[in-house]
Amino acid sequence: MSIFSLMSFGSEGWGLAMVFAAGVTLSVAACGFLIGSVIGSLIAWVKLSGGVMARGAADAYTTVLRGIPDLLVIYLFYFGGSAVLSSIAGLFGPGGFVGVSGFAAGAAAIGIISGAYQSEVFRGAYTALNRGEIEAAKSVGMHRALMFRRIIAPQVLRYAIPGLGNVWQLALKESALVSVTGLVELLRQSAIGAGSTRQPFSFYLAAAVLYLAITTVSSWGFRRAETYAMRGVRRA
Amino acid sequence: MTLLSTPAVSVRDLRKSFGSLEVLRGISLDAAEGQVISILGSSGSGKSTMLRCINMLETPDAGEIAIGGEVIALRKGRHGRTEPVDRGQVDRIRSRVAMVFQSFNLWSHLTVLENVIEAPVHVQKRPRAECIAEAEALLTRVGIVDKRNHYPAHLSGGQQQRAAIARALAMKPKLMLFDEPTSALDPELVGEVLRVMRSLAEEGRTMLVVTHEMGFARDVSSRVVFLHKGVVEEDGPPGEVFSSPTSPRFRQFISEHR
Amino acid sequence: MDAAFMGETFLRLLGGLPLTLNLTFASVVLGLVVAMSLAAMRMSGVPALDWFARAYVFVFRGTPLLVQIFLIYYGLGQFRPSLQAMNLWGFFREPYWCALLALTLNTAAYVSEIMRGGLQSVPAGQIEAARACGMSRLLLARRIILPIAVRQALPGYGNEIILMVKATSLASIITMMEVTGIAHKLISETFRAIEIFICAGAIYLILNFLVTRAIQALEYRLSPHLRNAPSPMPRLVAASE
C-alpha cells in the first residue's frame, strides 16, 4: 500500500484521523500558549516593577523552567496532577484514583514552560520601548492606565511578535511530547496507525509533513503580523 | 513689565539633585501670560531639568511650582523622596502644559494625525471628528498636512519636530515648554522649526524655550534667562542682557556662541 | 517531604547521569561537525549545496525532535530487509545509536544557523580593512573573521548546548535509561511525581548551570575588548604633568 492510499480520506485511509489529530496538536499547543501569555505577562510585570524578593522569585521561575527538560514538566503535571487530585478526592469520601486528562496536563505544562519564555519576550520588548515616547505620553497628562493601553501595550506587542513567534514554534514542538500521556494528538495517532498497519515510516513521515506544514504556515503568519505591526518603522 | 495678573507659571526656590550632583540650586522664575522666555546656559547648567520639573517629568526635591496660580502639591514620600500628593492633579496640569522634546518623541506606532489627536481624544475626551478637523488645521499651519497619514519614522527630523509642535498645540495649552527643540536637527532643517516657533510667539503664546539658538533668543523672545550651575545668573529683556550683560559668565557665554 | 526517599531517589537518578552526559557530549561534538559542513554549503555559492542545506535546516527545525527520533528508530524498521542487506540494521536496531543520530542531525540544523549568523555579523568594514593591508583569504578568515564570529555566536551556542542537555531526555521514550528515563520508571513505581521531579530537575539545573558558567568563562576570555578599560598607565600620567 502506498503512502498516498494509506493517508487517503476514504474509509480505508488514515487521512481524516491524521488531520483530526493535527487539530488536537494545534489545540493543545494553542491552549498552552495562551496560558503562557497570561503567565508570561504577569511574570514580566513582576520582573520590571516588583520588589527584590518578587523579582528574585520571577527570575528563579524562568531559570528553572528553561533549565529542566520539558518532558519532566509534562510528567510532573500528568502524574503529579493525578496524585494531587486523587488525594483531594480522598478528602471528600472514599474516592479512588482520579486521573488528569492528558489534554489538561499537556496544556498546563506547555503553558508553564511557554510562560517562562514569554516573560523574557515581553520584558525584552518593554525595554526596547523608547523612553521619550513614554515621557511624551506623561507630558500630555495621560494617567497610567491610559498610557499603558494606548502607548505601551501596542508597542510592546509589536516588538514582541518575532519572539512570540519563536515561542509558539516551541509550544507546537513541545505538544508532541504530550503524546506520552496518551493524548491522541498527531504523534500518538501516528504511533497507533504505525502499530496497526506495520508501516511506521509512512506514518511518522506523514506526521513530519503535517508538523512542517503547521510550523511553516504559522511562521508565515507571524511574519505577516510583524510586517503589519512594523509598518510605522523605517526599514534599515 | 507688570506681574499684577497671575503669572502663567511661577517657580519658587526650585531645588533638584541627582545623587550627589546638585543640578538646581534654588531657582525662581515668574513668566507672565504671553511672555516668550529663552533659557540659555551651557550643558549641565540645569536648564532642561528646570523645564522637566515644571511638567513634573522630574519631581523637584524642594521648592514650589504654580501653573496659572495652581500650586502643584508635593509631599515627602517614603525614603525621603518628594512625590506629588495627587497624580490626578499632575495629569490635569500636564494636559494644560505642552512639552516639545529635543528628540521629538512622537509615538512611533501612530501616524502623524493619530499622534496629534491621541491626547485630545483620550485625555481631554473631546469628540474625535472635532479633533481631526483641528489637527488638520494645525498640521496645515506647521506645513505638513500632506504627511498626516505617514508614520513618524518616514519623516525628516524637521517634519517630525513640526508634527510634535502640532501635537503640543492640539492640547490648547496655556503654556508651552520647548526642550532644545532644534538641537537634534541637521542645520538645514533648523529654520523650518524656528519659523513655526516664531509664529507661535507672535500670536502671544506663553513659551519657555531652552535653546542654543542665539538668534531666536535675541530676536523672538521677550526675555532671556541665563542659568549657570543651577542658579539664575542673568535675567532681562534680550535688548538689555545682550548689549550690557552684568554677569561675566554670560558675557563669556555670548562670546562663545556667536 | 521524605528526606530518606529524596536521598535514595537522587542517588538512583544519578545512575542515569553518565548516559545523559554521554548523549549530550557525543551529539554536541558530532553536531558541530555536521553543522560546519552545512554552514560551508550555505556559504559555498553552489546553488545545489546551498539549496540542500536550506532544505535540511527547514525540515529539522520545522518538526519536533521526537518525531525525528521515531522516524529513525521505529520508522526505518519498515525497511529492515534492505537495511540488513546493507549491514546497517545493527546500527538502526540500537536505541542508543538512533537517539544519538537524531540528536546530532537535529542540533546540526540549529548550530549551522548560529554559525551563519556569527559569520554574517562580522562588519564589512573590518574585512575591508584586513584586505586593505594585504591579508590573504585564509589569513583573513583565521585572524579576523573567525575570532569575531566565534565571539558573536558563543551565547547562542551556549543556549543550544543547554537545549541539547534537555533534549537527551527524549531518548528515554525509546527505552534509554538516562536521568529522565529513570525518573519515569521511579514515578510509575512509586507515584511520587513531585519528589522525583524535584530531584531530577535539580540534576538538570546543576548540569545547565555548569554549562552556562563554562560558556560565560569562555566568553570573558574571548572578549578583552569589551571589558572596562584598564586604569591609565603611570607613565602616561607622568607625561601629562
Side-chain angles (χ1 to χ4, degrees):
Chain A
M1 212 198 251
S2 84
I3 185 166
F4 294 106
S5 54
L6 202 59
M7 293 301 152
S8 72
F9 287 92
S11 56
E12 294 294 297
W14 290 77
L16 206 59
M18 291 293 277
V19 169
F20 182 77
V24 175
T25 284
L26 269 176
S27 326
V28 72
C31 287
F33 185 79
L34 289 179
I35 296 171
S37 299
V38 175
I39 297 176
S41 33
L42 284 175
I43 296 288
W45 176 65
V46 169
K47 282 181 182 172
L48 288 164
S49 61
V52 179
M53 291 286 283
R55 272 209 313 270
D59 284 338
Y61 165 72
T62 335
T63 314
V64 168
L65 267 298
R66 294 205 296 189
I68 288 181
D70 308 337
L71 191 55
L72 271 180
V73 180
I74 290 173
Y75 286 151
L76 174 73
F77 275 81
Y78 186 56
F79 296 111
S82 301
V84 170
L85 281 189
S86 302
S87 57
I88 292 174
L91 297 178
F92 293 98
F97 179 78
V98 180
V100 179
S101 85
F103 191 96
I110 293 175
I112 290 277
I113 299 165
S114 165
Y117 287 98
Q118 289 191 48
S119 74
E120 281 300 287
V121 170
F122 286 130
R123 197 186 57 81
Y126 182 83
T127 42
L129 286 190
N130 180 353
R131 303 286 119 195
E133 291 179 34
I134 294 176
E135 282 199 341
K138 282 186 193 162
S139 82
V140 296
M142 287 193 183
H143 55 84
R144 279 188 194 182
L146 183 63
M147 185 160 68
F148 181 80
R149 190 163 58 80
R150 299 288 310 170
I151 308 296
I152 297 177
Q155 296 215 41
V156 164
L157 217 51
R158 182 174 88 170
Y159 288 120
I161 289 174
L164 289 179
N166 289 336
V167 178
W168 164 245
Q169 303 272 5
L170 285 179
L172 269 175
K173 292 183 229 167
E174 274 155 19
S175 75
L177 305 188
V178 181
S179 62
V180 300
T181 68
L183 175 70
V184 185
E185 43 66 75
L186 192 43
L187 189 56
R188 181 90 192 122
Q189 180 64 62
S190 309
I192 292 169
S196 79
T197 63
R198 304 193 173 260
Q199 302 221 38
F201 192 82
S202 311
F203 273 93
Y204 293 126
L205 185 66
V209 169
L210 282 170
Y211 277 113
L212 211 50
I214 296 174
T215 50
T216 307
V217 170
S218 23
S219 67
W220 173 82
F222 272 95
R223 268 202 311 278
R224 280 290 301 271
E226 190 189 348
T227 320
Y228 176 74
M230 287 295 178
R231 65 203 180 281
V233 180
R234 188 189 291 274
R235 295 261 168 263
Chain B
M1 196 160 306
T2 55
L3 288 175
L4 289 176
S5 58
T6 320
V9 56
S10 165
V11 174
R12 285 281 155 270
D13 197 32
L14 200 61
R15 286 171 189 278
K16 174 77 183 172
S17 302
F18 293 103
S20 59
L21 186 69
E22 237 187 322
V23 179
L24 300 180
R25 302 190 297 167
I27 286 189
S28 297
L29 186 73
D30 280 322
E33 196 117 336
Q35 259 188 343
V36 177
I37 304 184
S38 287
I39 300 163
L40 305 176
S42 46
S43 75
S45 59
K47 52 195 193 310
S48 285
T49 306
M50 185 191 85
L51 213 61
R52 293 167 59 83
C53 281
I54 292 175
N55 208 4
M56 294 303 284
L57 288 174
E58 307 286 356
T59 313
D61 298 336
E64 189 185 275
I65 296 169
I67 309 287
E70 182 178 351
V71 175
I72 302 175
L74 297 171
R75 66 167 173 223
K76 287 276 179 211
R78 284 182 301 166
H79 314 299
R81 299 236 299 266
T82 42
E83 59 183 30
V85 173
D86 174 10
R87 293 196 163 277
Q89 186 201 24
V90 171
D91 289 338
R92 204 172 59 245
I93 285 178
R94 277 173 175 165
S95 69
R96 299 203 309 257
V97 179
M99 180 115 175
V100 175
F101 298 86
Q102 177 177 354
S103 47
F104 331 132
N105 295 348
L106 291 171
W107 295 305
S108 52
H109 63 306
L110 302 177
T111 63
V112 167
L113 184 72
E114 287 166 348
N115 261 281
V116 177
I117 63 170
E118 178 70 22
V121 171
H122 292 280
V123 177
Q124 295 177 333
K125 303 207 186 316
R126 284 157 47 199
R128 192 180 173 86
E130 178 193 313
C131 294
I132 291 178
E134 278 179 22
E136 288 186 335
L138 288 171
L139 289 171
T140 307
R141 174 167 178 192
V142 300
I144 51 166
V145 73
D146 55 322
K147 305 280 185 201
R148 61 180 176 273
N149 293 323
H150 288 227
Y151 284 95
H154 303 137
L155 266 52
S156 76
Q159 289 166 337
Q160 286 191 53
Q161 193 60 297
R162 285 186 281 155
I165 293 175
R167 176 174 74 179
L169 287 170
M171 303 289 294
K172 300 185 196 285
K174 295 266 181 269
L175 169 68
M176 295 185 81
L177 308 174
F178 292 81
D179 187 6
E180 304 201 29
T182 57
S183 298
L185 297 178
D186 292 335
E188 72 270 20
L189 302 177
V190 169
E192 60 191 59
V193 173
L194 286 182
R195 265 195 299 283
V196 171
M197 288 170 60
R198 178 188 283 262
S199 80
L200 294 177
E202 281 163 359
E203 70 181 29
R205 286 181 183 274
T206 317
M207 297 160 63
L208 257 55
V209 185
V210 168
T211 185
H212 289 294
E213 292 293 329
M214 300 303 268
F216 182 87
R218 192 188 308 266
D219 305 334
V220 182
S221 52
S222 49
R223 189 169 148 205
V224 171
V225 170
F226 175 71
L227 296 191
H228 182 76
K229 291 195 173 161
V231 292
V232 175
E233 276 267 326
E234 187 83 60
D235 183 352
E240 274 172 36
V241 296
F242 280 109
S243 56
S244 51
T246 53
S247 151
R249 294 203 190 82
F250 186 49
R251 200 173 303 140
Q252 193 192 350
F253 182 83
I254 301 171
S255 69
E256 284 166 359
H257 287 83
R258 235 160 245 296
Chain C
M1 224 158 270
D2 177 351
F5 177 75
M6 298 276 277
E8 194 192 327
T9 302
F10 195 78
L11 286 179
R12 287 186 67 180
L13 288 172
L14 279 184
L17 189 57
L19 185 54
T20 293
L21 290 175
N22 174 323
L23 282 169
T24 306
F25 185 76
S27 61
V28 163
V29 171
L30 294 172
L32 190 62
V33 177
V34 180
M36 280 183 198
S37 340
L38 285 170
M41 287 183 192
R42 279 299 303 269
M43 314 289 254
S44 67
V46 181
L49 293 181
D50 183 28
W51 189 87
F52 172 80
R54 274 171 200 263
Y56 179 98
V57 170
F58 172 70
V59 169
F60 277 90
R61 293 207 310 181
T63 53
L65 173 60
L66 193 54
V67 172
Q68 295 159 20
I69 293 178
F70 278 18
L71 207 48
I72 293 173
Y73 182 65
Y74 296 119
L76 291 181
Q78 200 173 325
F79 309 108
R80 183 171 168 180
S82 342
L83 290 170
Q84 276 170 328
M86 287 186 283
N87 272 329
L88 288 171
W89 183 240
F91 180 88
F92 289 109
R93 198 180 51 194
E94 288 297 327
Y96 173 81
W97 294 116
C98 289
L100 181 57
L101 179 64
L103 287 169
T104 299
L105 295 179
N106 182 270
T107 187
Y110 289 90
V111 173
S112 76
E113 285 296 288
I114 294 172
M115 286 180 175
R116 209 169 58 86
L119 289 172
Q120 280 173 344
S121 75
V122 182
Q126 298 187 18
I127 296 178
E128 271 180 10
R131 286 221 180 92
C133 55
M135 281 197 190
S136 68
R137 277 182 60 135
L138 202 66
L139 191 64
L140 173 74
R142 191 164 58 82
R143 297 290 310 162
I144 308 295
I145 296 180
L146 266 186
I148 298 177
V150 167
R151 174 65 193 81
Q152 272 299 322
L154 206 53
Y157 190 63
N159 280 337
E160 178 59 22
I161 295 180
I162 288 173
L163 287 174
M164 287 316 286
V165 172
K166 300 196 317 178
T168 56
S169 65
L170 300 198
S172 68
I173 300 180
I174 54 168
T175 72
M176 300 297 297
M177 280 299 167
E178 40 65 76
V179 175
T180 303
I182 296 178
H184 183 222
K185 185 163 161 275
L186 289 176
I187 291 175
S188 41
E189 285 170 10
T190 63
F191 291 101
R192 296 168 80 165
I194 297 169
E195 288 104 316
I196 295 165
F197 170 82
I198 292 173
C199 292
I203 293 178
Y204 282 103
L205 281 179
I206 293 168
L207 216 51
N208 284 329
F209 175 77
L210 295 177
V211 172
T212 314
R213 272 305 156 95
I215 293 284
Q216 277 173 352
L218 196 57
E219 235 176 273
Y220 182 79
R221 270 197 53 179
L222 290 179
S223 47
H225 59 291
L226 296 178
R227 290 177 218 154
N228 287 336
S231 47
M233 308 288 271
R235 189 165 44 86
L236 292 176
V237 175
S240 68
E241 276 167 7

